[in-house]
């Protein structure tokens, strides 16, 4: 099943099921008013949602309408928790050089993960308002999972069974603010403004073989201002999502709807390019002595889309966003 | 006004207004089903809540009942964001010695703050299930504020005007896990299990002169297993709550209901004692060469209560909790 959330003026939006072609949708509200309530009562509503999805595919569902991804919010406009790892060690090691921070202890055996704000996610085509170009505006292409309820101290294997949906994420980052926040030891806060999501959250079966070993086995194609920027492969993740969820739940339970992210998708092969500006900049420093690629200016765009191994558009849809100057409401 | 939330099987509970004596309450559900919705629509509902509170004080409200703090959840059982600072520099400097971590840069000019989980808060008398005594179980007595909507890039002065309610917090911490998480730079995650709250969230006017300079000017009395442990004063906070909220909102807006904490209340005067075990332990190390006070074992209790300057019980009520072994649900 492929789910999207249309804006309707409520905090959680309106749940729709989207066809496998991505062209049509049907209202899921008679079954669950929004995706968050569906996740909270998944075992009960899932069979009903499946029947509706089947009826959408066969064209027999009443009220089928044309699906418009630009009308979407994030699949979950707000979630109970948003926990983002850095599970592609290649990215983390390059970022240590970019930030000039000391090596993270046990980086290859214990996942690192920060708790992000989860109350105000952005949709795939929404402008991204930010206060200052000087903050080092950067995108980060990621994959993530949305969980059902996760008990405290779950094993990695059992944690994988808690995955309900898979998503594609743009984790906006402000690079000028990150190094100081890392040095405090308290983690990212100002460096992580509202996170954005591709329109479709999909059940693992939608990925077929591309959901394997607890990883999304697809390339994430990234374009910066219309130019190819990278297409790193999600299979190179050094921890699987079961390990990441178990790490997050070591001392507390996670409520249904909790989102766990992979961190920036990153490959050792240089020709895969990058899924964030900071990574390309540090490669430029290493190769050429100085960064050449600037951070984003207001008006700049980024586009991200996972693709199937044969190059077809992936199941999550497209993130296509522009950064804009935030208009101060109160000063 | 003094608000509490009674458990009723929903995620957000049932909102009640509590009398100034703390003995009586009245159902606020006809005005707002729960505290979160009240905060989301504060300007509309606040006058109605005030009229009901006045009728409760005069005894004229229908349906007045005896208030039972042990039936309470946290005032907000879940909130959009939970952001906890370390605004008592005396505590932070002692913790650097306890954790043997390097000095935090700009510690006295830029607040430090971590993003905590906000989906599963504990009530004032709930047992605290934790997975292992070896994790270094500790309490942390704090004050905090609950905000209305906060715009991005708000000034500290305007941020103070966003304060809707004041709360008293027990920020559970696992000290064996904290130093590693600080060294990763990604901040606390496993080291911060579910946070607990005193039963009453109160409007700033309830504090009178004790809400001054953006700080709670009261002592927080802490007892560990029935023994005096400390009574540090909230006025010694080195940043005010306006500065803390503005720090949190520098690059993103905060949704109504966001909670911002002070960090452990801590005074330079040694005879004020401490509001967490780790702080006393590092003082023992400094004074006597080794820590004597152990971290908590399963069955141990902590009690916290703010008091008015004349020693009377403060407006937030009492946190009185016991730590227990978490029963594994899935392994």
């Amino acid at each position: 099943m492929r789910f999207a959330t249309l804006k309707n003026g409520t905090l959680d939006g309106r749940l729709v099921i989207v066809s496998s072609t991505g062209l049509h949708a049907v209202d899921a509200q008679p079954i669950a008013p929004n995706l968050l309530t569906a996740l909270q009562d998944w075992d009960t509503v899932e069979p009903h949602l499946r029947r509706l999805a089947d009826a959408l595919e066969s064209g027999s569902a009443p009220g089928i309408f044309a699906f418009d991804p630009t009308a979407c919010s994030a699949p979950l406009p707000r979630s109970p928790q948003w926990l983002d790892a850095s599970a592609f060690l290649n990215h983390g090691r390059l970022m240590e050089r970019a930030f000039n921070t000391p090596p993270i202890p046990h980086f290859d055996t214990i996942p690192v993960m920060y708790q992000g704000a989860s109350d105000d996610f952005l949709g795939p085509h929404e402008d991204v308002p930010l206060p200052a170009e000087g903050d080092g505006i950067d995108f980060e292409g990621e994959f993530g999972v949305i969980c059902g309820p996760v008990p405290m101290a779950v094993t990695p294997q059992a944690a994988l069974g808690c995955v309900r949906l898979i998503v594609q994420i743009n984790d906006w980052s402000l690079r000028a603010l990150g190094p100081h926040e890392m040095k405090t030891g308290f983690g990212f806060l100002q460096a992580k403004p509202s996170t954005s999501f591709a329109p479709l959250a999909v059940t693992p079966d939608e990925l077929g073989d591309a959901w394997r070993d607890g990883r999304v086995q697809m390339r994430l194609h990234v374009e910066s201002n219309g130019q190819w920027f990278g297409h790193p492969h999600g299979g190179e993740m050094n921890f699987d999502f079961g390990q990441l969820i178990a790490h997050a739940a070591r001392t507390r339970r996670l409520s249904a709807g909790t989102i766990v992210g992979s961190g920036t998708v990153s490959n050792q092969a240089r020709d895969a390019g990058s899924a964030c500006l900071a990574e390309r900049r540090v490669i430029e420093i290493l190769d050429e002595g100085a960064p050449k690629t600037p951070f984003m200016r207001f008006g700049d765009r980024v586009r991200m889309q996972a693709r199937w191994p044969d190059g077809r558009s992936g199941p999550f849809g497209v993130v296509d966003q522009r950064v804009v100057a935030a208009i101060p409401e109160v000063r």
Side-chain angles (χ1 to χ4, degrees), chain A residues 207-228:
Chain A
L207 267 64
D209 272 357
W211 176 243
R212 196 171 66 247
D213 301 328
R215 294 161 171 87
V216 179
Q217 308 282 350
M218 305 179 86
R219 289 192 179 276
L220 184 57
H221 288 251
V222 180
E223 290 177 11
S224 172
N225 288 325
Q227 301 293 310
W228 177 88

Side-chain angles (χ1 to χ4, degrees), chain A residues 13-36:
Chain A
R14 166 188 167 208
L15 179 61
V16 300
I17 301 179
V18 180
S19 66
S20 57
T21 62
L23 296 176
H24 299 98
V26 65
D27 202 331
Q29 287 202 306
I31 300 167
N34 55 64
L35 185 54
L36 188 58

